[in-house]
């Protein structure tokens, strides 16, 4: 064995203890670590001939690389709908690394860690009050969850025309209907060969809404003259957390032939709260659903899962099956994630989620969700009371979409946000909503409190 590697093995406990203490110091100091910075490094570092060993590598990391990192798990990182990491999720993530499983099989002599994933999906179905008619799995994020779901939808569409798109390629134009899709869904259409511009835009409901206008949707369905189509709908749009009318879409599903996909990356967790579960009423009738765990479930990046109805398992296998791994018998009994997902190499992503669900239960996550929405309302009301800001849309859940008040200040909105983020006290993201330059604050982090909002508002008033 290499001598430095041997030394690290002999000193493993000490090395891990130092890494653990560094992690604790970082987490305990999150409120004082900037949410933004402009630090740079020269990334053209020469590779060591002999290697430094773990301790010296850690020292160099602290000196050169750590200053690049921001407090994205902290209570005032309000960009990108980013959650923090709860203690239980960190335990699960660390152990997923230590055990280092390639999570694929539920019946293999070489390891059945996929049973942990099955159990975690089952727990998530209970959390979201969805039926066990869905089969799920973990992927890196909403982009890959949307990709996975829409890939199976693509195969479904081909089968309606007697075609096998997975084997022979796309030979027919695929009909896509949607109103306010997330960019990750559009990116998925591009990666799937459908085309990032190959979709029909459905009108949105009047009255400052981003949700599908059901009357216009049915009108566009009728224009297809009975042709199959794929519907991409939203459980929480990215700007205003708006929801499509899933009950109405369920009724349309009884009349027309289509694949119904729901992007519920963060909004799907509304199902956990009695106050907000009405937003997702009827979503159990969808064919596929996307949900992120590294958002409102507050587990580390990368963590998302897809849910696809079990009745579509053969389409899923046709889409992703390895050519040298044919199924024998019932694919649900002889199950292997190798043949139902894009990745052939998969870490045990389910473990941080399993620890989180077992540690905090439904009540714990209900508390996080309801606290987040309460803080969003508190922040929105404070902006209105200040008089220098205006909301661009009603606060429906946890996203606050706002801008500087008055048309004359539209050109100042971008500079204002840049200066605000530069303070390192908060991070929010720019957006454009109904042709207005805006700012978006997303409340999902379990650590955020009213005191954080107070700190941010003081900074905003200083910069206005």
């Amino acid at each position: 064995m290499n001598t430095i590697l041997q030394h690290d093995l002999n000193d493993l406990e000490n090395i891990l203890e130092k890494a653990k203490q560094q992690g604790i110091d970082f987490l305990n100091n999150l409120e004082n670590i900037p949410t933004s910075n402009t630090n740079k490094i020269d990334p053209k570092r020469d590779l060591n001939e002999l290697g430094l060993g773990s301790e010296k590598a850690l020292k160099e990391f602290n000196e050169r690389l750590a200053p690049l990192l921001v407090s994205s798990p902290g209570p005032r990182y309000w960009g990108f709908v980013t959650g923090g990491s709860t203690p239980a999720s960190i335990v699960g993530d660390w152990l997923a690394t230590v055990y280092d499983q390639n999570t694929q099989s539920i019946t293999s002599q070489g390891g059945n860690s996929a049973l942990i994933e099955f159990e975690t999906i089952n727990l998530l179905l209970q959390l979201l009050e969805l039926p066990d008619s869905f089969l799920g799995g973990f992927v890196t994020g909403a982009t890959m969850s949307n990709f996975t779901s829409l890939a199976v939808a693509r195969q479904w569409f081909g089968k309606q025309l007697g075609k096998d798109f997975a084997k022979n390629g796309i030979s027919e134009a695929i009909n896509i209907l949607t109103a306010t899709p997330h960019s990750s869904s559009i990116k998925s259409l591009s990666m799937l060969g459908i085309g990032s511009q190959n979709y029909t835009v459905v009108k949105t409901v009047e009255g400052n809404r981003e949700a599908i206008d059901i009357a216009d949707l049915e009108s566009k369905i009728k224009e297809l003259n009975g042709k199959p189509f794929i519907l991409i709908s939203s459980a929480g749009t990215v700007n205003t957390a708006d929801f499509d009318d899933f009950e109405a879409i369920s009724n349309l599903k009884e009349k027309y032939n289509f694949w119904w996909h729901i992007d519920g990356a963060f909004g799907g967790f509304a199902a956990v709260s009695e106050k907000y579960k009405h937003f997702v009423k009827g979503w159990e009738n969808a064919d596929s659903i996307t949900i992120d765990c590294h958002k409102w479930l507050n587990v580390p990046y990368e963590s998302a899962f897809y849910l696809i109805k079990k009745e579509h398992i053969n389409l899923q296998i046709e889409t992703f099956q390895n050519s040298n791994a044919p199924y024998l018998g019932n694919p649900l009994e002889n199950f292997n994630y190798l043949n139902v997902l894009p990745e052939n190499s998969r870490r045990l992503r389910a473990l941080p989620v399993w620890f989180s669900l077992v540690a905090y239960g439904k009540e714990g996550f209900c508390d996080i969700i309801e606290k987040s929405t309460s803080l969003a309302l508190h922040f929105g009301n404070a902006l209105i009371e200040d008089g220098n800001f205006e909301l661009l849309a009603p606060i429906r859940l946890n996203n606050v979409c706002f801008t500087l008040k008055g048309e004359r200040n539209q050109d100042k909105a971008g500079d204002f946000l840049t200066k605000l983020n530069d303070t390192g006290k908060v991070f929010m993201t720019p957006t454009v909503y109904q042709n207005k330059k805006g700012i978006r604050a997303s409340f999902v982090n379990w650590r955020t409190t009213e005191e954080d909002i107070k700190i941010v508002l003081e900074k905003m008033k200083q910069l206005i």
Side-chain angles (χ1 to χ4, degrees), residues 180 204-212 234-245 266-267 269-270 273 275-280 296 369-370 372-378 380-381 391-401 433-434 441 443:
T180 317
T204 54
V205 179
E206 293 183 2
N208 201 357
R209 297 288 306 278
E210 291 187 294
I212 288 173
S234 298
T237 55
V238 71
N239 274 329
T240 70
D242 207 351
F243 288 72
D244 292 325
D245 186 340
F266 68 91
F269 286 107
S273 167
K275 292 182 181 178
Y276 302 108
K277 65 192 301 183
H278 64 276
F279 283 135
V280 295
W296 234 337
I369 287 153
E370 293 186 355
S372 297
T373 54
S374 176
L375 289 170
L377 288 168
H378 178 65
N381 289 334
L391 298 183
L392 292 176
I395 299 171
R396 298 186 179 92
L397 199 62
N398 64 317
N399 281 358
V400 183
C401 189
Y433 180 70
Q434 295 188 345
F443 292 84

Side-chain angles (χ1 to χ4, degrees), residues 227-362:
K227 294 178 182 176
F229 66 94
I230 298 168
L231 175 68
I232 302 174
S233 62
S234 298
T237 55
V238 71
N239 274 329
T240 70
D242 207 351
F243 288 72
D244 292 325
D245 186 340
F246 298 148
E247 286 187 289
I249 295 173
S250 296
N251 292 334
L252 291 177
K253 197 122 172 37
E254 295 178 0
K255 297 167 61 178
Y256 304 102
N257 184 32
F258 63 97
W259 180 285
W260 178 16
H261 175 63
I262 297 175
D263 184 342
F266 68 91
F269 286 107
V272 182
S273 167
E274 289 295 327
K275 292 182 181 178
Y276 302 108
K277 65 192 301 183
H278 64 276
F279 283 135
V280 295
K281 190 175 183 180
W283 72 328
E284 67 276 4
N285 297 310
D287 294 287
S288 57
I289 301 174
T290 283
I291 297 183
D292 261 344
C293 295
H294 56 237
K295 289 184 166 57
W296 234 337
L297 208 62
N298 281 258
V299 305
Y301 275 106
E302 312 148 340
S303 182
F305 63 100
Y306 69 85
L307 295 172
I308 298 175
K309 285 284 176 65
K310 291 177 181 176
E311 65 190 73
H312 302 306
I313 184 63
N314 287 326
L315 295 173
Q316 197 168 349
I317 291 169
E318 290 169 4
T319 303
F320 294 114
Q321 180 179 356
N322 278 245
S323 60
N324 63 341
Y327 265 103
L328 299 174
N330 187 329
L332 288 174
E333 293 177 358
N334 189 29
F335 183 87
N336 193 309
Y337 276 112
L338 189 75
N339 293 313
V340 297
L341 281 176
E343 300 160 301
N344 280 5
S345 302
R346 308 174 69 245
R347 77 191 301 262
L348 187 49
R349 287 196 192 96
L351 201 55
V353 177
W354 184 91
F355 265 90
S356 301
L357 295 172
V358 171
Y360 307 123
K362 186 163 187 175

Side-chain angles (χ1 to χ4, degrees), residues 37-38 82 104 106 118 129 131 226-227 281 309 356 384 389 445 457 464:
N37 68 49
T38 56
T82 304
Q104 302 287 5
I106 62 172
F118 265 43
E129 297 186 3
K227 294 178 182 176
K281 190 175 183 180
K309 285 284 176 65
S356 301
I384 294 170
F389 306 94
N445 191 299
L457 286 169
I464 197 68

Side-chain angles (χ1 to χ4, degrees), residues 174-218:
I174 299 178
N175 304 310
I176 311 280
L177 300 181
T178 188
T180 317
H182 187 264
S183 59
S184 62
S185 290
I186 304 307
K187 185 176 185 177
S188 296
L189 296 181
S190 174
M191 293 191 292
L192 288 165
I194 296 172
S196 60
Q197 296 183 340
N198 183 30
Y199 62 93
T200 299
V201 177
V202 181
K203 291 179 182 177
T204 54
V205 179
E206 293 183 2
N208 201 357
R209 297 288 306 278
E210 291 187 294
I212 288 173
D213 182 312
I214 297 299
D216 188 58
L217 173 60
E218 185 158 22

